[in-house]
Amino acid sequence: MSQASHAWRRRTLLGGLALPALAHAQPAASPWPDRPVRLIVPFGAGGAIDTLSRTVANAFPALANGQALVVENRAGAGGTIAGAVVASARPDGATLMMADLSPNAIGRELQPSLGYDPMRAFTPICHLINLPLVLLAPMALPVTDLPGFLDLARRRGDMVYAHPGIGYIGHLAQELLLRRTGLTMTPVPYRSGAEVARSLLAGETSSSIITVSTSLPFIREGKLRPLAVAGRQRHPFLPDVPTIAEAGGPALAGFEAQGWHGIMAPAGLPEPLVEAANRIFNAALRQPEVARVIEQTQASQIVGGSPADFAAFLQAEHARWAPLIQAAGIRTE
């Protein structure tokens, strides 16, 4: 791991959602789990969130009385199919969810007829990771940086941007960028970050904000141009790429957007089970293979922390994105 990666990880672990000191601790004796646990994943097999889920699941038995964490993929409807499954499950510790922004924080804004309230239907357990995002452009687009891109968009007025699905973080981040700068672009939805990258490579679209992990191979091969990263700090794998807040001028001061995943349970999970689950998932984040997949393969940041930390983060995400969704009239139905 590079020196920059070490420093980046250290800043994350020592920040506001720092992990408890559990590197060598085993979970204390508890009634949970005493049987296999289902982990409902809101996306299909083979993607980044599925890889993360299965990596955590591999580490789970050694930390959890030998019990298995069984990954169950329930893709569709922006993650709300999985959300509905978990929201209606018994709060007994047998069913958990790999949480994501849409099904667990803003689903009601995106889909007013949603049959559950994302802010009331779940018990936050543990914030696992943050996924940095990057604004990309095709190499053929005549710009080399964010100011040039914004100027071109202002002059042309007919540019199109790609996103990996209505209401997904890449979609919301680009809409935030446009609203903050007063620009207009036409959104084109795709089914995944990989499809978005292909649209940029083919010149079908002019820009997109997707995860660093999805775009990094194309950036390294010189096939896509990174204009700015969307986080509050530069990414260690892209040290020469400024943040949107750095490069975007006063209109974009303080700009920040990121993907994230965590662990949720149905609402009403008893406190002893919440504490036991939180302890186990924090310990899982300390396992070398889990950390390697998160930090190297997925170019993401380990977070961890308490259930209260995760609950506060979810409230902040809802407060950040719900007004944008309402103002822009973004709907998935």
Side-chain angles (χ1 to χ4, degrees):
M1 187 185 300
S2 70
Q3 184 175 358
S5 296
H6 275 300
W8 186 57
R9 183 183 183 193
R10 179 173 176 80
R11 283 195 300 271
T12 301
L13 295 183
L14 296 180
L17 297 183
L19 289 174
L22 292 170
H24 304 293
Q26 293 296 319
S30 75
W32 186 86
D34 58 2
R35 53 183 157 157
V37 178
R38 288 195 306 166
L39 179 64
I40 308 298
V41 176
F43 300 99
I49 188 171
D50 182 64
T51 299
L52 171 66
S53 301
R54 294 179 188 279
T55 302
V56 172
N58 288 339
F60 189 81
L63 302 165
N65 306 323
Q67 299 296 332
L69 186 65
V70 181
V71 174
E72 186 175 315
N73 299 93
R74 293 289 190 98
T80 58
I81 290 175
V85 170
V86 178
S88 62
R90 293 180 60 187
D92 59 3
T95 302
L96 301 175
M97 181 176 180
M98 182 60 77
D100 188 62
L101 176 64
S102 177
N104 298 105
I106 55 171
R108 181 64 65 83
E109 282 72 28
L110 293 168
Q111 187 179 333
S113 63
L114 189 65
Y116 68 91
D117 182 347
M119 298 305 292
R120 296 178 179 271
F122 305 105
T123 300
I125 300 295
C126 186
H127 184 172
L128 297 180
I129 71 169
N130 289 333
L131 296 94
L133 306 173
V134 59
L135 173 65
L136 299 170
M139 297 302 290
L141 199 72
V143 299
T144 58
D145 56 22
L146 179 58
F149 172 77
L150 296 176
D151 181 62
L152 181 66
R154 202 168 281 114
R155 287 186 286 109
R156 280 181 44 174
D158 62 348
M159 289 169 62
V160 220
Y161 77 87
H163 66 73
I166 295 173
Y168 286 87
I169 185 59
H171 180 204
L172 299 180
Q174 186 116 12
E175 280 297 315
L176 179 61
L177 176 72
L178 296 176
R179 294 182 77 83
R180 292 274 298 268
T181 54
L183 296 173
T184 301
M185 295 178 67
T186 302
V188 179
Y190 289 84
R191 292 180 296 182
S192 67
E195 286 194 5
V196 165
R198 285 194 288 271
S199 82
L200 293 170
L201 291 168
E204 299 169 351
T205 53
S206 301
S207 70
S208 183
I209 296 179
I210 57 175
T211 61
V212 171
S213 59
T214 298
S215 55
L216 200 57
F218 303 106
I219 294 170
R220 286 173 168 168
E221 292 168 10
K223 294 179 178 179
L224 291 176
R225 189 187 309 280
L227 299 177
V229 294
R232 67 175 62 179
Q233 62 190 35
R234 297 190 183 199
H235 196 286
F237 294 172
L238 300 170
D240 298 326
V241 179
T243 67
I244 289 175
E246 279 182 282
L252 293 171
F255 186 100
E256 182 183 4
Q258 63 189 356
W260 55 266
H261 298 306
I263 300 294
M264 292 281 206
L269 189 70
E271 189 61 28
L273 299 188
V274 174
E275 292 175 358
N278 175 264
R279 199 161 49 236
I280 288 169
F281 283 104
N282 269 303
L285 292 173
R286 292 291 196 184
Q287 303 306 299
E289 178 59 16
V290 176
R292 185 192 67 78
V293 167
I294 293 170
E295 295 181 329
Q296 298 299 311
T297 306
Q298 299 190 334
S300 297
Q301 298 166 306
I302 295 171
V303 183
S306 71
D309 291 332
F310 193 22
F313 174 81
L314 290 164
Q315 291 289 341
E317 285 291 276
H318 184 266
R320 180 195 303 270
W321 298 115
L324 173 72
I325 292 165
Q326 293 165 351
I330 299 170
R331 297 287 183 272
T332 57
E333 60 181 10

